[in-house]
């Protein structure tokens, strides 16, 4: 299964970024093999608005089935839900730890956004 994780850096040992749309990186990782691609999200992070929507579109395009993040706003959540991407929020630790927690069934999926819209 492919997971997308909002991250502060480009490695598996980078901290999970609590922000989804404005995270510095989105790491797309194969849950089994731990092969990963670190996607620079700076264009979205610096966007005036629409960062979450653009990041959600990118995650969908990378084939991720699950997003692990701290906070996900309502517009990004709608895009992810439309693409059948599950969201686990309030995720902390490193990307590697978040993936391990998901594999062990320790993360619950949410059915709504957990951050307010900014606009």
């Amino acid at each position: 299964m492919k997971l997308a994780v909002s991250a502060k850096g480009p490695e598996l040992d980078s901290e999970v970024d609590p922000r989804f749309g404005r995270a510095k990186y989105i790491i797309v990782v194969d849950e089994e093999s731990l092969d990963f691609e670190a996607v620079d999200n700076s264009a979205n992070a610096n966007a005036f608005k629409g960062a979450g929507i653009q990041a959600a579109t990118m995650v969908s395009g990378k084939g991720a089935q699950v997003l692990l993040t701290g906070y996900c706003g309502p517009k990004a959540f709608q895009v992810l839900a439309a693409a059948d991407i599950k969201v686990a929020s309030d995720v902390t630790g490193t990307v590697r730890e978040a993936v391990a927690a998901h594999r062990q069934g320790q993360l619950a999926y949410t059915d709504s956004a957990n951050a307010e819209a900014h606009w």
Side-chain angles (χ1 to χ4, degrees):
M1 177 180 296
K2 274 190 174 181
L3 309 176
V5 187
S6 57
K8 293 182 178 181
E11 301 294 333
L12 292 178
D13 292 319
S14 300
E15 289 293 315
V16 171
D17 195 321
R19 306 163 301 167
F20 169 54
R22 297 192 185 279
K24 188 163 184 176
Y25 291 91
I26 305 292
I27 297 183
V28 181
V29 58
D30 181 289
E31 186 176 43
E32 298 301 320
S33 68
L34 294 184
D35 289 339
F36 71 96
E37 175 187 4
V39 180
D40 184 341
N41 192 46
S42 60
N44 291 329
N46 296 321
F48 178 67
K49 62 181 180 176
I53 294 169
Q54 294 302 316
T57 301
M58 182 272 299
V59 164
S60 176
K62 294 290 183 181
Q65 297 153 298
V66 174
L67 169 66
L68 308 179
T69 191
Y71 299 99
C72 184
K75 292 179 184 176
F77 191 88
Q78 287 176 347
V79 172
L80 294 163
D84 288 326
I85 298 171
K86 296 176 182 174
V87 178
S89 55
D90 299 320
V91 176
T92 60
T94 66
V95 172
R96 187 182 307 276
E97 292 166 344
V99 171
H102 184 267
R103 283 183 74 183
Q104 296 167 4
Q106 297 174 346
L107 302 178
Y109 299 129
T110 185
D111 59 0
S112 63
N114 69 337
E116 296 294 320
H118 295 285
W119 301 100

